[in-house]
Amino acid sequence: MKEVVITADSTCDLPAYLIEENNIVIFPLSVLLGEEAYQDGVDIFPDDIYKYVEKTGVLPKTAAVSPSQYISVFDEITSQGKAVVHIGLSSAISSSFHNACLAAEEFDDVYCVDSKNLCMAMGLLVLKACDFRAKGFDAKKIANRVNSIVPKVCSTFIVDNLEYLHKGGRCSGVVKFSANILGIKPSIAVDSKTGTMDVAKKYRGKMDVVYKQYINDCLKDIGRIDTSRIVIADSGGINSETIAFAKGLIEGKGKFENIIRSEAGCTISSHCGPKTLAIFYIKK
C-alpha cells in the first residue's frame, strides 16, 4: 500500500509542533498588503495585519492557492510513489478548494476533502486524517472517513467587533451599525453542511464577561463532544485569564485527551480581527 501524505491549506491554523509531528504539508494562502504579496504564516503574521489596518484603515486582501501551486506539490509527492489526501478551506469561503480539485484531476492518487470550515475546526479534520493514516488506511478510505466527519464539526467564534467582517464584505452595514449601537457582541457559527457563516447568538456586556458566557454555552452539551480533542483558539489580544478560564472549564467538564491551544493565522485574522475567541470540537 502506498504511503499517504496529508496536505492542507494554511487556514487550518495548526500549531507548528502538530504540523511537524504529523508530517503535514501546508499550502500557504496569499495575503496582499497594498501592492505587496505575502505568504500566510511564512513571511507575514497577524500582528503585521493589525498594524497595517491601524495605519491605513484598509483591510488586507487574501488570495487562494493557485492550481499550479497545488499541481507542483502534488506532482512532487506522487512522483515518489506516495498518495495524497488534501483537506481544503471551505469551498463556500474560498476558491482554493476548487483549485485543489482541478489540480487533483491530473493525478490518480490525490483525494480532496472540502472541510466546509476554517481555522482549527478545519485543523481537527486534518488531525483526524492523520489518525486514520496511523491506523493503516489507504488514501481513498482516509478521505471517505474524513468526509463523513465534516458535518460533525462544531465551529463557532465570538468577535470583539464587526469592523473586520464588515470591511471584508462578510457583515452588512446595517448589522454592524445595529451591533455597535446596541453593544452587541455576536457569536458567529459555520454551517458544517454548507460551509457558510452566520450570526448564531448575540451577547451584551463587557467583553471579559461575554467571553465566559460564550465558553459556557459552547460546553453545555459536553456529553455529545468527541473527547479526543478540543481546541481553544484566538486571534490575539485576549487576556490570559480568559484563556485559563476556558481551559479550566474544559478540564472540569470532561476528560479530554488533548486540549489544543491555537493562534489564528493571517487569513482568518484578516477577516475577524483581534480579540476573536473560538472553541472548536467534533461531535460524537
Side-chain angles (χ1 to χ4, degrees):
M1 188 175 68
K2 291 184 177 181
E3 181 181 340
V4 180
V5 176
I6 308 299
T7 70
D9 296 327
S10 62
T11 46
C12 67
D13 291 344
L14 282 162
Y17 76 93
L18 287 174
I19 293 172
E20 184 177 349
E21 283 178 7
N22 293 283
N23 297 311
I24 300 163
V25 175
I26 298 295
F27 290 94
L29 273 72
S30 295
V31 179
L32 310 176
L33 301 184
E35 300 298 319
E36 299 295 325
Y38 302 89
Q39 290 187 308
D40 182 8
V42 177
D43 52 9
I44 188 170
F45 301 91
D47 282 346
D48 300 317
I49 289 171
Y50 302 148
K51 290 175 183 176
Y52 176 82
V53 175
E54 184 178 351
K55 180 180 178 180
T56 66
V58 178
L59 197 70
K61 296 179 180 179
T62 55
V65 181
S66 68
S68 62
Q69 288 173 286
Y70 286 119
I71 287 173
S72 176
V73 175
F74 291 163
D75 182 60
E76 181 181 350
I77 295 171
T78 56
S79 65
Q80 298 172 23
K82 302 174 183 178
V84 177
V85 175
H86 175 72
I87 316 293
L89 173 62
S90 171
S91 60
I93 296 173
S94 168
S95 60
S96 286
F97 182 71
H98 175 68
N99 292 346
C101 290
L102 288 176
E105 291 175 1
E106 304 291 322
F107 307 92
D108 292 329
D109 295 304
V110 176
Y111 300 85
C112 296
V113 177
D114 185 351
S115 71
K116 296 184 179 177
N117 232 304
L118 44 70
C119 199
M120 269 298 293
M122 175 184 166
L124 286 172
L125 293 173
V126 177
L127 294 176
K128 280 293 185 182
C130 294
D131 292 343
F132 296 138
R133 178 181 60 186
K135 291 180 179 180
F137 295 170
D138 63 24
K140 184 177 182 180
K141 190 170 184 178
I142 292 171
N144 288 338
R145 286 291 184 96
V146 175
N147 262 317
S148 70
I149 295 172
V150 167
K152 298 180 180 180
V153 178
C154 183
S155 175
T156 63
F157 53 95
I158 186 90
V159 296
D160 181 46
N161 65 73
L162 292 171
E163 193 66 33
Y164 277 68
L165 285 170
H166 173 60
K167 287 181 177 178
R170 288 173 169 79
C171 168
S172 74
V174 173
V175 172
K176 172 178 173 287
F177 177 77
S178 300
N180 287 342
I181 294 297
L182 298 174
I184 293 172
K185 308 296 183 183
S187 168
I188 311 295
V190 180
D191 187 326
S192 58
K193 294 181 180 179
T194 65
T196 57
M197 296 186 292
D198 203 354
V199 174
K201 189 169 182 177
K202 298 174 183 177
Y203 298 87
R204 289 186 178 88
K206 292 184 178 180
M207 205 60 209
D208 288 347
V209 175
V210 167
Y211 285 137
K212 292 179 180 180
Q213 291 174 335
Y214 162 74
I215 294 163
N216 271 301
D217 286 344
C218 286
L219 301 172
K220 276 183 178 178
D221 295 325
I222 195 75
R224 299 177 61 188
I225 299 176
D226 175 355
T227 56
S228 60
R229 296 183 184 96
I230 191 168
V231 178
I232 305 168
D234 74 279
S235 63
I238 295 177
N239 65 50
S240 58
E241 288 80 7
T242 296
I243 301 299
F245 175 84
K247 189 172 185 293
L249 193 63
I250 289 170
E251 290 174 337
K253 282 183 171 286
K255 295 182 179 179
F256 288 88
E257 295 173 33
N258 291 285
I259 300 173
I260 301 172
R261 275 285 291 118
S262 173
E263 296 178 359
C266 292
T267 305
I268 304 304
S269 297
S270 291
H271 297 296
C272 296
K275 297 184 179 181
T276 298
L277 178 69
I279 304 292
F280 300 123
Y281 56 81
I282 295 173
K283 298 175 184 176
K284 291 180 180 177

